[in-house]
Structures are given as C-alpha cells and as structure tokens.
Amino acid sequence: MSHPAHSTLGQSSYPRLTRSLSAVESWGFGLTAHISWTALVPAIHAALGSQAIFVWIPAVIFGMLLNYQVKRLGMHFINVAGGTPNYATKLLQNYPRLACYAAIGYLLNWVSYLSVNTIVLKDLIKVNLDALGIAYPEILLNIGFTLLPFIVAFSGTRALSILHLFFVIPAFGLLMTFCIQGLGWLAFSDVSPGFFPSNWSSLSFVDWAKWFFFVTYATYSCETASSFVADSRQPSQTLRFLDVAAWMMPPIFLGGSWVMMRLATDSSLEDNAFLNLVAASQPFWGKSAAISVSFLLVAACLLGSATVVSNCPRILYQLALDKHISPVFSVVSRRGVFVPALTLTLVLCLIYLIWGDVARIVAVGNVGWFVSFMLLHLGLWLRRDRSEVLFPRISLAILLLEVVVLVVGGFAWGWLNLLIGLLFPIGVMGIDAVIRRVNFPPFHPSWWMRRYKSRPVVIIKDSVVLQVSILIFLLCSAVTVGWLFGVKLNKAASAGGENLFVVLLMTVAFVGVAIACWTSLPQVVAIAEAREAAEHLFTVAQDGILVVDDRGIIQQANPATESFFGVNPSELRGNHLNKWLTALISYPDEWTKRSEQTLLRNGKNKILEVSISDRPHQDFQEYVVIVHDITQRKQAEQILRYSEAQLRQEAKQLASQLVHSEKMSSLGQLVAGVAHEINNPVNFIYGNITYANQYIEDLLKLLELYQKNYPNPVTEIKEEIEAIDLNFLIADLPNLLTSMTVGVERITEIVLSLRNFSRLDEIEMKAVNIHEGIDNTLMILEHRFKAKSNSLTIQVIKEYGDLPLVECYAGQLNQVFMNLLANAIDALEEAVENGAWGAEKAALSPPEIHIYTELTSENQVVIRIVDNGTGIPEHLRKQLFEPFFTTKPVGKGTGLGLSISYQIITKKHLGQLQCISTPGQGTEFVIVIPLRQEAI
C-alpha cells in the first residue's frame, strides 16, 4: 500500500507532536466515557430492568482490567499517540493488515459517537423548542452541532482541552453526586422503595450477550487519556490517571445503574434518557432535577464530541507514522492541528449523520469497536512473554468470551448491522488506498508542509483594534440572541424553558470559544509564547539582567547575577544597585546608557560593562540593566599592548626555526637523492663482482693448466712472470675481490641508513622501531667515532630495553637523535682537545657514549644518551633549550639544534626532554615520550 510519491519521505521527516498538554488537561478527556453512561443506561434499563446489573458487573470488571493493561502498554510505548488502538497495532506488528483493521474499527466507533451526540442534542432542542412554539431548524442544527467541535479542533489542541476540562469537572462532579446521593437515599430514606428489589426477572444468555456487546461502548472506553500520552508534558502522570478512571467505573456504572434500576421504574419512560434520569433524580433533587439532567446530557454530548475530534486525529496520525495508512495523515501544524486527519474524521461523521438512525449507528459502530478489542486481546496473548503484557491468560479468556458475544450479540442486533460493521473498516482502508494512489496535491504531506512553513501574507500589526472589534461583535450578538429568546420565552410562558437555557448556555460557550480560537486566541497564544520566550531568556542568559525602578531599587534579578555579585537574586531585591556598583549614584535617568564599572569581590577587581535601557509602562517607569563581565577582555587588551616586543621576538625565532626546518627538509631530500643515485652504480658494481670473481677463477685455472702442460715457458714469459710477481698476484687477487665485496656491502649499508634517517616517506605519525632509528643515526655518525691524529676513539655502548613499536614522527625523532649524539661527540672531542684525557685516564676511562632505552609501567618510552665528558655548568644548563643559545665558537653552531629538539619532543610528541649534568662527570639527556599518541 505504498505510493511512489511518498517513498522518499522517511519516518524521521514526519512532524512530531509537541508536548503541550498538562496532565490535568489529558485527565479531562479520560472522564468522557464515564459521563457517556447517561446516554446508555436508559436503553439497557428499559430492556432488562433489574437484570441489567448482571451485564454491567462483568463489563466493569473487564473495563478495569483493560485500564491497567493499557497503562502498562502506555509506559512501554511512551511516545505513541492515539492510545489503545495504536498499542494494538504495535502488538500485531507481524500482521499489519489486521493491526490496521483493529485501529480503524476503534476509530469508527468514536466517529459514530459524535454523530449520535449531534442527533441527541438536536432531538433535545426540538422537544424544548416545540414546547415553546419555536420553529425547529433541523438542517441548521445538524450542521451546527457537527461542525462546532471541528471548528474548535481546527484552531488548535490547547483551546479544546481547556474548554473540555472547564465543563467536564462540574459535569463529572454532578454525575458522582447523582450516583452517591442516589445510593444514600435508597439506603437511608424513609420513603425509599428499598435498596434491593423484591424479585429478579430471568435473563437469557442471548439477551446478556446482546447488551454486554452494547455496554462495552462505555466500559471499554475509560482508557481515553492514553490517547494523549505523546503530547502530554507529563506522560507518566497522564497514564497514572487510568488507575483513577478504573476505580471511578464501579460507583458510576454500577452505582448509577442501581439507582436507575430502583427509581426509574415507570414503563412509560421507555428508553428516553432525559425522562429516565429525571425520574431517578427527582426523589432526592426535587425541582432542580430537570435542569441538572439537561446539563448532564448536554455536557455528555458536547464533551463527547470534543473528545472525538481530539482522539480520532491522533489515531490516524500514529497509523500514518507507523506506515499503516497514507503519510498525509501524519501532518500536524505547529499549533497541533491535524488538518488531513480532522478532514477524514469529518467526512466519516457526515456519512453516519446522513444515515440518521441512532440505533443503527450505535450497532454498526460498536461492531468495529468490539472487534478492535478482540484483536487487542489477541495481540496480548501473542505477546504473552513480553514484560508489557499483564494478564495474558485472562486476555485469552476474555477473547474467547468476546468471540461468542460478537456472534450471539451481533446477530441479536441484526445480521445486516453486523455485516456492515465488519465491512466498514475495510471500506475506510479502501479510501486510504485511493488517497495513496491519486495524484492530488493535498493528498501528499509535502503540500501541507509548504503551507505550514509559509508566512501569512497579511500581518495585523495593531491586534488591539481587532480584539476590541471582536469583543464588541460578540457582546452585541449575545445581547441580540438573548433578547430574541427572552421574547419567545415570555410569549410561550411554558415549563421547560430552563432546560433550553442550559442547552443554549453550553452551546454559546462552545461557539464563543470557537470564534475566539479563530480570532483572538492566536494573538493570546502569540503573547503567551513571547512571554515564555522572554522568561526563558531571562533565566538562561549568561549576562546579569536586573530590573530597577525609577529610584534605582532592584525589582528583579536573573540567576546569572549571583555569579557577578555573589548574592542570591532574592537578596538583591529591595536594594539600590549602587550598593554593589558604587559609581551608579542618584537616579537611573541620570546614568550613562553604556559604561564600565569596577566591582570589588573577594579582594579582586572585576570590570563590568553596564548597559541601561528604560522600559516605560502606563503607570510606572522601569529600567533594564544588563551586566557583562569584560575583565578577561580588558586583561587581554593589556597583555596585547605589552607583548608586542615579545611577539616580534617569537616571530623572529619562528622564522629561524622555519629556515632551519627548511634546511633540514632540503638536506633530507638531498640525502635521499644522493642515496638513490649512489645506490644504482653500487648495485651495478656489487652485481658484477660475482661474475668478475668467476671469470678470474676461470682464467687462473686456465693459467694453471698452461703451467702444468708447458712447464718450461720461453724467456720472455719468464721475465714477465717475475716482473708482475705472478704467484703474489694469484694469491692476492681473491682477497682483492673479497675486499671489494665488503666495501660495496658497506656502501649499501650506509645508503640504507641515509634513506632510513631521512624518512621522507614518513612525514605522518606511525609506529616505528626506535632502535632502528638510533642505529641508523649512529651509522651516519660512525666516521666521527674513530680516532683522529689528535683524538681518541669514542666508544658507543648500547643497552637497549625490550621496546614495542612506538607511535612517533620518525624523521623528526631521528633529527633529535642526530642533534643529541652530535652534541655528545662535540663535547667529548672538545674535552680531548683541552687535555681532559691523558694517557692514564684514557686507559681507565676512554671517551664513551652510553645509550639506554626502556619502557615504564605507565607506557612511557625513556631514551637516555649519556657521555662522560666534562659536563655543563648550572648557569649554562638553564639556557640550553633557548633558541640561538650556543657555547660553540662562531661558525660551529646555530644554537637551534637543542631548541628544535625540545619543540619536537614536547610539542609534537607531548613528551619531555631533560638535561642532567654535573661538571667534571659528564652529561645525560633524557627523552620521555608516550608509547601511544592518543592525545594528538
């Protein structure tokens, strides 16, 4: 059932509901079913008499169990809108067609409820208008009562929920009073007919099933609050109300039915709700019974209709969100209006209304409703191993009973009604299939999205004029309508006018709210949103915000002021601002609009930027003071002013380092190039030495054969043999070739070391063998270790630890090894030249360089390079790592080697480079770097 145009719309692109409803507002919708009892009880009472209580008892028990189960499902599906039917689709997700049927069947029953309410209200008004001799506008009333809740619903959810709550509280209170007071009157009144009936009539199973099927219309619908969990600000509180709704069922459905059974006993009342309720309440309410019952019936109808237009769009919305029906029904405006879903609900309501027969509407609507709960219980049994299922075995037992009730009770209400009720949800699913496939722009979510995002063409800037005009119009209309009805009532002068007054009062209230929703309410909501935004900004602002009066006394302060003044905002109120900002003396109208103030706090000065603006009101003058801490900015400005010379020096050092780095890079490229160029001829020579050795051996064998077969050569050959010393040549030639081979191999090793040292292919960090880098550096410097005419041989002693591969910049680390080893060699050579090593000392302790490596328990790699030279004095050691500092003669050093080495180790590798030296005992450089460079 997918539409090509909708395939690109992912679920994440659907608009989500805003959690705008309070828990109390969602509770009001959960009481609708309790009040609807007033419309149901006369019919079953007229049909069964005292036996009706045996239908209500199991229905109430099942309804209470259902409430507890729906509450558990709601806690599990906390973001699912629509309540019970959409929980059923989640439980039956492996059977999507069946799940969609269950939800649509539930929906159709609620829609039928609105149509029935319209007809009941119309009939109630007709009776009262006929008694007053006023013409009966049937079509107008049908259209008016049908459209009235939709007009409010099309304006937004909040207005409807508040209106509903306003009337549901007195209506529910009046109903509870009827039930409790009626039971008390039956039990304790002297004129009571008795609490229990004198005899009980028989009740067949067919009649029981027929009316059980009927009363579930109310007892199964007390879980309506769950439909509003997704847009409740406190979803857990909304679901907790289901417990309350469950325990309100016995006093109303059982207690109220018992009162009706004992007090409304006149058979002439038939199934008229108004007459039965008046007859039952008149013994203890007296003359106020008629007007109270009128209020209850009108409230039940209007509040039920309001619940329908609130509940049904959420069911369709969640079905679209779960991809059971067309995505267009998932569209919701920023004000919480489900326009496509409300439109479909209105169309279905009109279909019921055109039908016009209340009995058939209830029977047909209840079929889909009953099947929906059967499928819910089926889903609970199929998911019986899940934590959200409370009573799986009881759910199975109820399901089996409901199957029997559907067959027996459904046929009792008429096989045609049963068939239509079963097929109606399939028809709605067919309508959805048409919507998916017809290429009509309003059937696509994108069409609605564009309209919701566009700004209105006409923007009313002065809304006060509009509000006053609307108020005048409403007042004049109300006076006119009141005067006309007053004239009619005076002419009729008959009883029953007060009943019509109740209908008129509640209808006008709904109409007034509807008009306000489309006119003044958007302005009020905009003002409320602006106020909430301003309060939120006032609370979360990082700057201090204070409101002072015309004398400078603090009236309000936001939470951020505590970080400025060190005083709780509540303690600031009532004090003059100059208590903390001493420069702000006298009155705010004399203060500079923007200034810098000094605040002394905890012995430290803070520099604050203070901005002041006035906020005129009709009756008084206020000033808004915004305090911004600019201490750090001022300190930064001062640092910048005094650091120009230091920045120039650092720039000079940086330029020198860049030059040195460029030289090292060029040197590395030169070394790599030379190594590459040397490598080719060396490989050529090395490859031909083997063949030359073979050829010479062959020639020597041939010469040996000649000497053997011609032992007496001629005189000229003998003289040449003596001249070239043939025997020595034959003996020395293999040694010569061996020496050449060793030389070529040595050149190859040097070239490899040069290439490894340059590491041009390793400019990025990687794991390398540190020992290999040290060895390559030593090979390059090997010529400096050998003794010269005026020096001694420098011995290198390596004590390597067991190191794994180390993450580092290999080329730069080799540069550090080169600098430190070269400095050690320079120090030892200088000591030898200065006579620090005599013959006796050289025999005991020759010049040495020790290289140690180890891995610590903290995964730190330690490399120590130690020489036994003359050491470095303390006053020089402190400056070793400063740029351009050197102790070498001019021309022998730049003073950047150790500085750059320090930067490479500390900045690039996040390590440490230390120099430990004692004059006369040598110098030790310690390198510490992490084994892994995660932080870089």
Side-chain angles (χ1 to χ4, degrees), residues 573-585:
R573 300 188 192 106
N575 294 286
H576 199 287
L577 185 56
N578 66 10
K579 182 176 180 179
W580 290 272
L581 303 178
T582 55
L584 297 177
I585 58 176

Side-chain angles (χ1 to χ4, degrees), residues 110-126:
W110 273 105
V111 173
S112 71
Y113 187 34
L114 193 152
S115 302
V116 170
N117 290 336
T118 297
I119 296 173
V120 170
L121 280 174
K122 177 194 69 176
D123 292 343
L124 181 62
I125 293 176
K126 178 180 182 298

